[in-house]
Amino acid sequence: MAEKPRIAFFDFACCEGCQLTVLGLGEPLLKLLERVEVVTWREAMSERSDDFDIAFVEGSITRDSDIPRLRRIREQAKVLVALGTCATLGGPHVSANNCDRGELLRLVYGGEGAQFEAGEVRPLSAVVQVDAFIHGCPINGDEFLTVANHLLLGKAYHPPSRPVCHECKLNQYECVLDRGQICLGPVTRGGCDAICTSRGSQCFGCRGLVDDPNLNAAREVLAEHGYTVSDIIGMFDIYSLRSPAAAEARETARQDRGAIEKGAEPWRSR
Amino acid sequence: MEIKVEHITRVEGHGNIVASLQGGRVEQAFFQVVEAIRFFEGFLRGKSWREVSHLASRICGICAISHSTASLQATEQALGLALSPQAQLLRRLIMNAEILSSHALHVYFLAAPDFLGLKSVMPLIETGPEVVARAFRLKKTGYELAEVVVGRHTHPVAAVPGGFTMAPEESALRAVRDKLTALRPDLEATVELWKTLEVPEFSRPTEYVCLRRPEYYAFEGGEIVSSEGDSVPVARYGEAIEEHVVSHSTAKHARWHRESYLVGALARVNNNWRQLHPAARRAMEAIGLQPPCHNTFMNTAAQVVEIVHCVEDSIALIDEILSLPLQEEWEPEVTARAGEGVGAAEAPRGLLIHDYTYDEQGRCVRANCVIPTNQNLANLDADMRALLPQLSARTQEEVQLRLEMLVRSYDPCISCSVH
Ligand code: SF4
Ligand code: SF4
Ligand code: SF4
């Protein structure tokens, strides 16, 4: 029998909710574990190895001192997957980039803040090449399994390019805009099966913008429903959808996602 | 003997153990938190009241529901919103869901391997598949219970200031109730498994702190009580809990009456065991946990007791919810206003406080979050200093493992503590 692909999980600045979503899969995860060997997963096991094929990396980079660790993972991994919005776009804490670091440190640690390192929140792709992106805060467990299956078959994975609105309408959920709430579904990348609007909540844009979002049209729709520009900008700011860093991450994602097509079933070459 | 464990495994987040023992004397012993800071208290400022709990939940992937609950309470207090009786029951139900799944994760995946001489649960997939299947069932049922009520365990969708955007479906509640009752053999097996494990002997009395309500075993609201016989209303937490910065850690430490205190399952069971579900009290006796228990290694045993409590209490809560016609829930009408509010929940790892100030437009202008793991760190260091001299006859490897076990028995949630 061919050697099983070796996979590893790593995390940087994040809430670890995406790893937890993987652990919470139950049966399907056990099925997947029959086909791969997990060699490093600090949160779940003490065994560790630097010899792995696929690295799932969760979290954003906020300290330069974390960069060498990420680079080592990149060097070792044949395929590096960014797991969750912290890793793909910066995550919910990306709006800390709108504040002054020194002030933030003073706010939290008072006069003793200066001893701690804190830098700009960056997605992984700002530091290393990323081969596959699984968006979502948190990720959708089914999408994780789909991506894992693609990688195990040596196929590239393209995140869906339809907006959340599309999934929401297919499911015939009641539109929350009609109920008087702001919803970012028209411009947000789908793949979550519109889980938030399915429960009568609005979409906060956690999966980032679709590839070609029409922001102005979305603003108009929202304004028609009586929202001020500052309300809407507030929503866009939660996952920093307007920020240059987010735009750059989207661009890098577009350029990089052909990368694993070049090396089909990369671990077989071992 | 010098011990340095960098990035201890099978805990949430990044921390190191640093200890040095010379001729039976402890030169130093502490747990060093090296997690990156995300500055939630900084960027919550400026966010509107409806966005704050969405973000606050993302402080932690394991205890997202606790953060969401404490955050919602704080916002509700600031904006003067009240919950319907049904919404109150639903809030209690999702707290149970989270405690169940988080404890199952810790008991089986993070803590148990130490007692079985394993490095992880992975080898058990082949040698003890029924144990792994049971662990996943317990954890998954907690997830499913949360899904039925709030759409998702990490991160909840339907819980909003003032209530819920949607009520659970009656059929879904009944289905998950069946799954909970089907867990009873698993609960027994979990208690039996714990009875076979050899828990290290250790005793160091400390202060035990948690929430308490007169009516039921509290996982949210009520007042803050200490085993020193003191209590304060949640809103005046600042008079009790004193947070301070220590240089070896990006997570702050805390104290109240003593130099340190303990929060979490053992503190709750020690202080509130009389309010546990009878089945959980029976489990407590079967395990041999006698409150007040001063052995921190027994925190994991207290989690087993709470797993039983959460399953049984959830069944009872669902029955209570369904005893009346299920009311629709709807995104509540909210008028923004200026105000302050403090909310509190018992996260799986202990007392959690969110404290906010809002301006007239309903934008957050100040946020403070007091996290369970921070409150435990000083107590953990004190335990390490007390434990080390008892281990002086052991090999380096044994001492290191014992210290790791101690840290894991706290079930620290490190990214949460730095937030
Ligand atoms: S993307 Fe969201 S759920 Fe995932 S680790 Fe980051 S904050 Fe947590
Ligand atoms: S609720 Fe949101 S995602 Fe759904 S149709 Fe309306 S705008 Fe689109
Ligand atoms: S509906 Fe929007 S906020 Fe909710 S999971 Fe999907 S992309 Fe994220």
Side-chain angles (χ1 to χ4, degrees):
Chain A
M1 214 180 89
E3 205 178 329
K4 288 181 184 176
R6 295 161 69 85
I7 71 172
F9 287 85
F10 301 93
D11 49 79
F12 291 86
C14 68
C15 83
E16 302 195 7
C18 290
Q19 287 182 63
L20 255 298
T21 304
V22 175
L23 260 181
L25 284 169
E27 272 302 311
L29 176 63
L30 284 171
K31 284 251 146 44
L32 178 67
L33 292 179
E34 288 168 12
R35 297 164 58 203
V36 299
E37 189 185 347
V38 182
V39 297
T40 298
W41 194 347
R42 188 195 47 74
E43 180 159 353
M45 51 199 265
S46 298
E47 302 92 330
R48 66 181 299 270
S49 161
D50 290 329
D51 181 11
F52 47 82
D53 304 304
I54 305 175
F56 290 96
V57 186
E58 188 193 33
S60 65
I61 301 301
T62 62
R63 305 183 287 204
D64 287 347
S65 60
D66 285 329
I67 291 178
R69 186 160 73 94
L70 178 59
R71 291 228 165 97
R72 279 199 301 278
I73 296 167
R74 173 67 272 183
E75 275 161 28
Q76 179 55 44
K78 301 197 172 67
V79 178
L80 189 151
V81 186
L83 185 68
T85 297
C86 290
T88 63
L89 299 166
H93 52 287
V94 75
S95 61
N97 285 351
N98 302 336
C99 317
D100 174 72
R101 294 288 123 174
E103 195 218 319
L104 286 175
L105 282 167
R106 267 195 307 283
L107 179 80
V108 180
Y109 300 98
E112 287 155 287
Q115 61 184 309
F116 301 119
E117 183 189 355
E120 202 196 351
V121 180
R122 286 155 285 177
L124 302 184
S125 59
V127 180
V128 294
Q129 185 196 304
V130 172
D131 303 319
F133 293 80
I134 311 181
H135 298 288
C137 180
I139 56 159
N140 171 303
D142 291 335
E143 190 181 17
F144 169 81
L145 292 169
T146 306
V147 173
N149 278 324
H150 272 70
L151 297 178
L152 292 178
L153 295 169
K155 291 200 293 191
Y157 176 75
H158 304 297
S161 57
R162 57 179 184 267
V164 170
C165 245
H166 183 90
E167 297 173 350
C168 182
K169 290 191 171 118
L170 266 184
N171 281 305
Q172 299 188 313
Y173 298 139
E174 194 193 340
C175 180
V176 301
L177 282 173
D178 296 339
R179 267 164 54 175
Q181 285 169 56
I182 315 177
C183 181
L184 295 187
V187 289
T188 300
R189 184 186 301 281
C192 58
D193 206 23
I195 179 167
C196 299
T197 60
S198 81
R199 304 302 297 232
S201 176
Q202 64 259 70
C203 170
F204 283 90
C206 84
R207 301 172 62 88
L209 292 176
V210 276
D211 287 337
D212 299 299
N214 189 342
L215 290 189
N216 289 330
R219 281 203 188 105
E220 264 167 42
V221 173
L222 293 168
E224 263 170 36
H225 284 82
Y227 292 101
T228 66
V229 170
S230 85
D231 286 333
I232 301 167
I233 287 183
M235 281 283 278
F236 277 112
D237 270 353
I238 292 183
Y239 292 95
S240 280
L241 300 183
R242 300 176 308 141
S243 77
E248 205 175 298
R250 270 202 318 283
E251 190 44 42
T252 323
R254 243 200 298 264
Q255 286 168 11
D256 283 355
R257 68 183 183 189
I260 59 164
E261 269 161 311
K262 291 174 213 140
E265 302 187 60
W267 50 88
R268 293 280 162 81
S269 62
R270 284 158 62 83
Chain B
M1 186 188 301
E2 302 290 334
I3 308 265
K4 172 110 201 208
V5 182
E6 230 168 283
H7 292 183
I8 176 174
T9 53
R10 303 204 327 269
V11 299
E12 196 280 351
H14 296 95
N16 307 334
I17 296 172
V18 181
S20 136
L21 187 65
Q22 305 300 341
R25 233 190 72 233
V26 183
E27 301 266 296
Q28 59 170 354
F30 58 86
F31 186 64
Q32 184 178 35
V33 170
V34 292
E35 188 72 32
I37 313 160
R38 288 171 296 156
F39 295 111
F40 273 82
E41 286 147 337
F43 68 76
L44 281 178
R45 294 173 312 166
K47 300 287 190 275
S48 107
W49 61 271
R50 180 62 172 80
E51 298 157 359
V52 166
S53 65
H54 174 93
L55 282 164
S57 140
R58 279 139 177 97
I59 290 176
C60 181
I62 303 184
C63 47
I65 290 176
S66 302
H67 279 282
S68 166
T69 302
S71 172
L72 290 169
Q73 279 183 1
T75 300
E76 283 155 0
Q77 212 179 80
L79 301 185
L81 306 171
L83 289 188
S84 72
Q86 176 176 292
Q88 286 172 23
L89 294 173
L90 291 171
R91 285 266 172 93
R92 286 169 61 189
L93 199 51
I94 55 174
M95 283 303 301
N96 282 351
E98 177 166 285
I99 306 257
L100 165 60
S101 58
S102 173
H103 284 359
L105 171 74
H106 181 252
V107 170
Y108 278 95
F109 292 87
L110 311 185
D114 283 332
F115 295 97
L116 303 171
L118 299 172
K119 287 183 179 304
S120 76
V121 84
M122 298 293 174
L124 281 182
I125 295 178
E126 274 175 28
T127 60
E130 71 293 343
V131 180
V132 180
R134 189 198 309 146
F136 273 122
R137 259 195 313 275
L138 286 164
K139 184 166 167 49
K140 184 109 200 236
T141 309
Y143 272 54
E144 286 172 353
L145 179 56
E147 275 160 33
V148 166
V149 184
V150 278
R152 191 165 60 188
H153 175 275
T154 315
H155 293 280
V157 170
V160 292
F164 293 83
T165 51
M166 201 178 262
E169 299 206 1
E170 188 175 329
S171 57
L173 274 176
R174 289 196 195 282
V176 77
R177 187 193 184 283
D178 288 345
K179 289 194 173 167
L180 287 161
T181 50
L183 284 180
R184 283 182 176 139
D186 290 333
L187 299 179
E188 255 171 63
T190 305
V191 170
E192 287 307 311
L193 171 73
W194 182 267
K195 278 159 64 180
T196 65
L197 304 181
E198 204 183 314
V199 182
E201 283 197 22
F202 177 70
S203 176
R204 192 186 70 84
T206 183
E207 181 175 357
Y208 300 93
V209 175
C210 66
L211 294 173
R212 183 183 285 155
R213 280 182 180 269
E215 327 84 277
Y216 53 84
Y217 193 84
F219 288 128
E220 38 64 60
E223 58 174 15
I224 306 170
V225 298
S226 154
S227 56
E228 303 286 297
D230 200 358
S231 66
V232 289
V234 166
R236 291 187 1 229
Y237 74 96
E239 292 167 25
I241 299 168
E242 186 203 337
E243 279 202 299
H244 53 103
V245 181
V246 291
S247 61
H248 62 259
S249 151
T250 44
K252 291 187 236 181
H253 284 203
R255 57 184 162 236
W256 189 358
H257 297 96
R258 300 193 185 207
E259 267 310 288
S260 70
Y261 62 83
L262 185 85
V263 296
L266 187 61
R268 290 189 291 257
V269 169
N270 270 349
N271 289 350
N272 295 344
W273 63 273
R274 287 179 187 82
Q275 294 173 306
L276 283 167
H277 189 278
R281 282 208 302 271
R282 283 195 295 278
M284 188 178 88
E285 279 159 30
I287 283 170
L289 196 170
Q290 266 186 352
C293 167
H294 299 139
N295 181 356
T296 322
F297 289 99
M298 289 292 275
N299 188 48
T300 312
Q303 292 182 334
V304 172
V305 171
E306 289 195 334
I307 287 176
V308 177
H309 174 85
C310 286
V311 171
E312 295 295 345
D313 189 55
S314 299
I315 295 169
L317 282 171
I318 292 175
D319 288 344
E320 194 177 340
I321 292 165
L322 293 179
S323 68
L324 295 170
L326 202 56
Q327 304 291 309
E328 285 214 25
E329 299 280 346
W330 203 248
E331 173 97 30
E333 289 275 334
V334 175
T335 318
R337 68 171 207 200
E340 289 190 341
V342 185
E346 280 289 334
R349 292 152 191 79
L351 177 62
L352 167 69
I353 292 164
H354 281 236
D355 170 12
Y356 307 142
T357 306
Y358 285 95
D359 68 11
E360 292 79 23
Q361 280 94 48
R363 297 201 175 271
C364 178
V365 291
R366 184 190 58 89
N368 185 36
C369 309
V370 184
I371 309 287
T373 295
N374 298 68
Q375 298 169 72
N376 273 339
L377 286 171
N379 206 68
L380 169 57
D381 288 359
D383 273 355
M384 277 205 245
R385 289 194 300 271
L387 177 66
L388 266 172
Q390 301 172 18
L391 304 175
S392 54
R394 297 182 182 240
T395 65
Q396 170 112 13
E397 208 180 323
E398 286 170 341
V399 176
Q400 177 173 331
L401 179 64
R402 193 46 66 86
L403 288 180
E404 287 188 25
M405 277 175 85
L406 178 69
V407 171
R408 280 188 206 110
S409 64
Y410 274 83
D411 191 8
C413 192
I414 302 170
S415 30
C416 189
S417 70
V418 179
H419 59 284

